Amino acid sequence: EVQLVQSGAEVKKPGESLKISCKGSGYSFTSYWIGWVRQMPGKGLEWMGIIYPGDSDTRYSPSFQGQVTISADKSISTAYLQWSSLKASDTAMYYCARTYYDSTGLLDYWGQGTLVTVSS
Amino acid sequence: IQLTQSPSSLSASVGDRVTITCRASQGISSYLAWYQQKPGKAPKLLIYAASTLQSGVPSRFSGSGSGTDFTLTISSLQPEDFATYYCQHQNTFGQGTKLEIK
């Protein structure tokens, strides 16, 4: 069974750093892309970027380029999303999902989400 | 590419037939997916390649379209179908359609 399990909720202050994780199991983690999707409170879905854990090839949405870093450790089947200096506007639910870097880019299996709250 | 869904919200009753539309700002062939999201839950893939039902998704869900105009149809609404629906192409999502109980 394909599963993506994300790290738990975080409460941080503006300016702090953060790294959240997404651990895959039940499939070949290095053979599929992992994507990150943001959902701000009461809002829709936003595609942030993707990584191919096999070689760490990474693509970012222009909206998120330079704002976050996506990485992966294939030895432990885990992808990461990190911030060096959080802002209140980073408060959101973040989902990871297995995806395809192709004509559709569909996301077929999703993690349960990690809620990030940034508040002073 | 931009994806525009209509309507943004919709009220319907159990048993109704419902159609949601997604329009792309330029042609995307059949490269469109649909997702269902219930409150507090992660999105779930329903349909990909515009009309292919993901494994395990009930047959009352169907998708059609190509080029710039796509539809998601639920043939007979069930109580568990009340949710928000999103279309998606590559790195772009539609703004969502919230389906509520009338």
Side-chain angles (χ1 to χ4, degrees):
Chain A
E1 178 194 8
V2 174
Q3 281 195 311
L4 294 170
V5 178
Q6 298 184 229
S7 50
E10 301 275 0
V11 179
K12 292 289 190 179
K13 291 180 166 38
E16 292 186 331
S17 63
L18 176 63
K19 191 173 190 177
I20 62 175
S21 67
C22 169
K23 183 174 177 61
S25 62
Y27 73 102
S28 175
F29 187 73
T30 54
S31 299
Y32 293 83
W33 294 75
I34 290 285
W36 287 94
V37 175
R38 183 175 78 173
Q39 187 167 40
M40 298 178 76
K43 302 298 184 182
L45 305 174
E46 299 175 271
W47 190 96
M48 301 176 70
I50 57 174
I51 187 166
Y52 190 72
D55 61 6
S56 291
D57 188 9
T58 309
R59 304 279 189 270
Y60 292 94
S61 163
S63 300
F64 292 93
Q65 179 84 48
Q67 308 305 307
V68 296
T69 301
I70 295 171
S71 60
D73 184 340
K74 62 184 179 182
S75 70
I76 54 171
S77 301
T78 301
Y80 302 96
L81 178 66
Q82 69 180 89
W83 296 259
S84 58
S85 181
L86 286 160
K87 302 184 281 286
S89 58
D90 293 316
T91 294
M93 182 70 82
Y94 293 88
Y95 294 101
C96 66
R98 193 177 79 167
T99 187
Y100 301 78
Y101 188 49
D102 63 7
S103 299
T104 299
L106 67 89
L107 304 109
D108 59 357
Y109 290 91
W110 294 66
Q112 82 277 19
T114 296
L115 179 62
V116 174
T117 303
V118 184
S119 174
S120 54
Chain B
I1 292 176
Q2 295 180 12
L3 298 176
T4 303
Q5 290 183 231
S6 60
S8 295
S9 64
L10 174 60
S11 294
S13 301
V14 172
D16 284 353
R17 179 183 180 89
V18 165
T19 297
I20 297 169
T21 296
C22 178
R23 175 162 289 174
S25 59
Q26 63 188 74
I28 57 172
S29 186
S30 296
Y31 303 125
L32 189 90
W34 289 96
Y35 300 85
Q36 176 193 66
Q37 186 180 32
K38 296 181 179 179
K41 299 295 187 182
K44 173 187 173 183
L45 176 65
L46 296 177
I47 288 169
Y48 61 94
S51 61
T52 302
L53 212 59
Q54 174 71 342
S55 176
V57 174
S59 59
R60 63 181 179 273
F61 290 91
S62 63
S64 66
S66 66
T68 59
D69 294 313
F70 301 86
T71 59
L72 171 69
T73 299
I74 309 172
S75 60
S76 179
L77 273 173
Q78 298 302 300
E80 61 268 28
D81 300 336
F82 293 95
T84 300
Y85 293 84
Y86 295 92
C87 58
Q88 178 239 349
H89 169 72
Q90 294 185 338
N91 61 351
T92 302
F93 288 96
Q95 82 277 17
T97 295
K98 187 173 184 179
L99 179 53
E100 298 174 303
I101 300 174
K102 184 182 287 184

